[in-house]
Amino acid sequence: MSARWDAIVVGAGFAGSLVAQRLGAQGWRVLVLEAGRPADSAAATATAYRATAGGTPTSPYPHSADAPSPDVGDLTGLPDGGFTATGYLVQRGPLPYASGYLRANGGTGLLWTGLAPRMHPEDLRTADLGHGRNWPITYRDLEPYYRRAERELGVAADADQQREAVGLPIPDDYAFPMRAIAPSYLDRRLADALDGRTVRDPAVADPATLTVTATPHARNGLPTEPGRPGRPLGSPCAGSASCVPVCPTDAKYTPLRTQARWAPTVRLRTEAVVSRVLADGTGRVTGVEYLSGGAAHRVEAELVVLAAHAIESAKLLLLSGLANRSDQVGRNLMDHPVLLTWGLMPRPVGPYRGPGSTSGLEAFRFGAPRLLRAPFRIEIGNWGWSWAAGPPQTEVTALLGAGLRGKELRDRLGDRLGRQFSLQFELEQPADPANRVTLDPSLRDGLGLPRPVLDYDLSAYVRRGMASARAVSDQLFALLGAEDHTRYEAGPQWPGRLEFEGRPYAYRGAGHAGGTHVMGDSPVNSVVDQWQRCWDHPNLYAVGCGSMPSLGTSNPSLTMAALALRSADRIHRDLLALRRPVTLPATRPPGPVSASVSASVSGPAPSPLPAPSTPPAETIRESS
């Protein structure tokens, strides 16, 4: 008779890999089910990417007909405005959800940018500022887990800069694992022109003072403590300029780095598409059903963790008919709409070197203006016009079409490409229950499972943020003496085009899906509690950005990692209670579980499990 698994983790991306690592380190037996295929090495993926001549971000990774990956190439703008959508996601508008994600081992964490800023404390209480939802925890609750996540990911940043420019309450004695990534030549030129200058946001009277600030990166640089064991992992950043979709030197963190440290009690099964979470009549989850190899399988566990991506985890809860007493499963779909502006600097600035962005402008993320318009942070784009107007080949094609050849062509290319730069305004999108993921039984994928159906729009609050961002951009270009080439023309390149107060705008998706199994302080209006545990099912967790009640303006991967580590501590305690009832003192505040947790347990310190040499055989039954 085979044993039950202690935990099943659905999804092997950021959150799932971290939860599995922490539980395995405690001796728990964990089965990780990943819908996608195994990923190749970074070097092999880089070779595949070069072979595609710079395709879309998911292009060099393994794809599966059973687990399709939504891609930005699925969207096309129409000549008279609007958009069409093909592919896996069913888009019902009125605007497109403009981000893709990767279903493969490691998930979208394989092709992320590597930027790892913390959220600002204000970002966790957006409802108090008149928009969206508050978190059931504070920044103070999250801060120790930020530090743990930064160690796990190997974050490079300057703590003093983050305190001064961003206003983060980082402990005085804290140092990030890596020193800040060096600013690019473009960053330095912008700092020379902008630091200490002011611009006006039309939403408020007081001007904002500018400071070019290094962005935290989960990327190898110089260790803060030379000789510290385990740092850095992989090679130092070599400036390959292909972070999206792949770092060929493994300098950028990916979930595969965490998976390499999984204990022997953690087992990964790829190409296993979970189709249903199983629960008994009491509401307790008993396991999952998954599809693999043309057959349906059932596997049992004491506890289940959904970490499949904000859209996929919501889809799975809806398929299973679970955790939706609040009617919030699938609702509050968020992203960071990115307004891009681009132009030519007066002199060459050395684009297409290093990470896509190494510095930014942080003054518009917080404060009184967010009462009136969506806040935004500004990334300085090192990769020329590639995201905004196309890769360098686009410029080559245009000049060839204009009849340029030989030296004249080379000179013109050198001049124009060498002066390209862009600004990326990453806007907050507050939680809105009308933006949602649903299922339509008539629209099914290759396995016969319903495809996600998306309803998505941007509120007037977000659009006012776009208007402020564009006004700030105009002033920045003037201070830089730069030629503004920004154009949002209706057509194939801009499916996310819109008009606001008579002016055209357009956005790209940042790949930062959130909100679809939102965290809260009551089962009446949220899906999971502060530990990302489903209110309706005491042994079912939904972890990841889908739990986040707000995204603020920072890339969410670091916050997702911190939340996953926090939940893993709670899951460990839950499993201890299931395996051997324990009594914690009533006065003990919730917090990180450490090796000393057994000191508060009556009687001898319990061992989580008799440590097996291999995980148990799965309890698998063919479905009828």
Side-chain angles (χ1 to χ4, degrees):
M1 180 178 178
S2 59
R4 290 160 61 94
W5 292 89
D6 296 307
I8 295 170
V9 176
V10 181
F14 252 101
S17 295
L18 288 167
V19 169
Q21 191 277 328
R22 293 299 303 147
L23 296 182
Q26 298 284 353
W28 300 111
R29 296 171 293 192
V30 182
L31 175 64
V32 181
L33 297 174
E34 167 56 51
R37 294 176 175 172
D40 292 329
S41 69
T45 302
T47 299
Y49 185 58
R50 286 191 290 269
T52 64
T56 59
T58 65
S59 61
Y61 289 97
H63 288 256
S64 168
D66 291 342
S69 296
D71 191 83
V72 293
D74 297 340
L75 295 171
T76 304
L78 299 175
D80 56 351
F83 69 97
T84 59
T86 58
Y88 171 65
L89 298 178
V90 181
Q91 301 248 16
R92 291 185 172 166
L95 289 173
Y97 173 79
S99 291
Y101 52 93
L102 179 65
R103 299 174 78 188
N105 182 36
T108 311
L110 297 176
L111 52 78
W112 70 310
T113 61
L115 303 188
R118 297 185 181 194
M119 294 181 76
H120 190 276
E122 278 187 9
D123 297 337
L124 278 65
R125 54 181 189 88
T126 56
D128 292 346
L129 302 172
H131 303 275
R133 288 172 169 260
N134 285 345
W135 289 52
I137 59 175
T138 65
Y139 182 92
R140 185 176 179 180
D141 296 320
L142 200 54
E143 203 281 331
Y145 293 96
Y146 268 138
R147 283 179 274 158
R148 283 174 54 179
E150 285 157 355
R151 289 194 297 272
E152 177 67 33
L153 274 59
V155 172
D158 184 301
D160 288 338
Q161 262 199 350
Q162 292 300 302
R163 293 186 197 100
E164 294 165 10
V166 187
L168 296 179
I170 298 173
D172 291 341
D173 61 350
Y174 180 67
F176 287 88
M178 304 280 176
R179 300 177 190 174
I181 297 294
S184 68
Y185 181 71
L186 171 64
D187 295 341
R188 298 197 299 271
R189 297 290 70 76
L190 265 62
D192 291 343
L194 300 179
D195 280 0
R197 306 292 292 273
T198 60
V199 298
R200 291 192 173 276
D201 177 346
V204 291
D206 294 333
T209 301
L210 303 173
T211 303
V212 173
T213 304
T215 305
H217 280 244
R219 191 183 318 280
N220 290 342
L222 295 174
T224 303
E225 303 172 37
R228 180 180 176 185
R231 295 292 184 226
L233 298 174
S235 302
C237 176
S240 303
S242 63
C243 317
V244 180
V246 60
C247 173
T249 63
D250 278 327
K252 181 184 71 175
Y253 171 86
T254 76
L256 302 185
R257 188 179 293 181
T258 292
Q259 292 181 20
R261 298 190 297 107
W262 279 353
T265 55
V266 180
R267 178 180 292 174
L268 171 66
R269 172 161 290 188
T270 56
E271 299 182 74
V273 180
V274 176
S275 55
R276 189 159 59 109
V277 179
L278 307 170
D280 62 21
T282 70
R284 292 194 67 84
V285 167
T286 59
V288 303
E289 189 175 82
Y290 70 92
L291 306 175
S292 182
H297 309 271
R298 187 170 292 186
V299 60
E300 299 176 351
E302 301 288 352
L303 185 145
V304 173
V305 180
L306 304 184
H309 183 269
I311 290 176
E312 293 300 320
S313 290
K315 169 189 167 181
L316 188 51
L317 288 173
L318 292 170
L319 280 172
S320 307
L322 299 178
N324 204 18
R325 179 183 6 164
S326 62
D327 187 36
Q328 294 301 301
V329 172
R331 293 188 182 273
N332 308 297
L333 175 64
M334 294 177 280
D335 194 6
H336 282 134
V338 179
L339 183 83
L340 293 160
T341 61
W342 60 100
L344 296 175
M345 291 287 283
R347 287 174 291 280
V349 289
Y352 301 101
R353 294 179 175 89
S357 177
T358 39
S359 299
L361 296 161
E362 308 288 346
F364 308 95
R365 292 179 60 180
F366 39 79
R370 70 188 303 169
L371 293 168
L372 303 172
R373 52 90 177 131
F376 51 89
R377 67 179 300 268
I378 307 172
E379 291 181 12
I380 298 168
N382 289 329
W383 292 348
W385 297 357
S386 56
W387 198 19
Q393 296 94 310
T394 304
E395 195 77 29
V396 175
T397 301
L399 293 177
L400 287 172
L404 274 66
R405 298 292 187 273
K407 184 177 185 303
E408 186 180 10
L409 174 63
R410 291 192 299 273
D411 289 347
R412 182 72 69 85
L413 280 173
D415 174 64
R416 286 183 65 84
L417 294 179
R419 294 191 291 128
Q420 286 185 359
F421 83 110
S422 65
L423 300 176
Q424 301 160 195
F425 296 79
E426 201 162 290
L427 292 114
E428 178 182 51
Q429 180 179 24
D432 180 347
N435 289 333
R436 64 185 304 195
V437 181
T438 57
L439 302 178
D440 185 335
S442 68
L443 301 169
R444 296 181 177 266
D445 63 19
L447 290 176
L449 301 175
R451 293 155 55 199
V453 178
L454 308 187
D455 293 271
Y456 187 80
D457 200 359
L458 301 181
S459 67
Y461 177 72
V462 177
R463 297 177 190 222
R464 284 196 297 273
M466 283 188 177
S468 285
R470 186 62 201 271
V472 167
S473 178
D474 291 343
Q475 296 170 71
L476 294 175
F477 275 62
L479 290 172
L480 295 168
E483 299 175 25
D484 193 343
H485 287 252
T486 306
R487 301 288 184 274
Y488 306 123
E489 297 176 351
Q493 299 304 313
W494 291 107
R497 188 179 184 275
L498 56 92
E499 291 194 4
F500 180 65
E501 296 181 343
R503 189 172 185 182
Y505 300 91
Y507 65 93
R508 306 275 195 221
H512 299 164
T516 54
H517 41 81
V518 70
M519 179 194 301
D521 56 12
S522 168
V524 174
N525 58 18
S526 58
V527 179
V528 300
D529 66 12
Q530 63 165 308
W531 304 104
Q532 302 186 87
R533 179 173 49 191
C534 293
W535 290 108
D536 300 346
H537 311 283
N539 61 336
L540 175 62
Y541 283 73
V543 305
C545 295
S547 297
M548 293 170 63
S550 66
L551 294 180
T553 57
S554 58
N555 307 56
S557 297
L558 180 73
T559 302
M560 174 171 53
L563 287 172
L565 293 171
R566 187 173 187 272
S567 292
D569 281 350
R570 179 72 256 181
I571 292 167
H572 171 61
R573 292 158 72 173
D574 287 355
L575 288 172
L576 282 174
L578 289 169
R579 283 290 188 179
R580 178 176 177 176
V582 297
T583 303
L584 297 177
T587 57
R588 181 181 178 87
V593 174
S594 68
S596 63
V597 70
S598 60
S600 65
V601 180
S602 301
S607 172
L609 281 175
S613 58
T614 59
E618 296 175 35
T619 304
I620 297 177
R621 297 192 295 272
E622 298 295 334
S623 298
S624 57

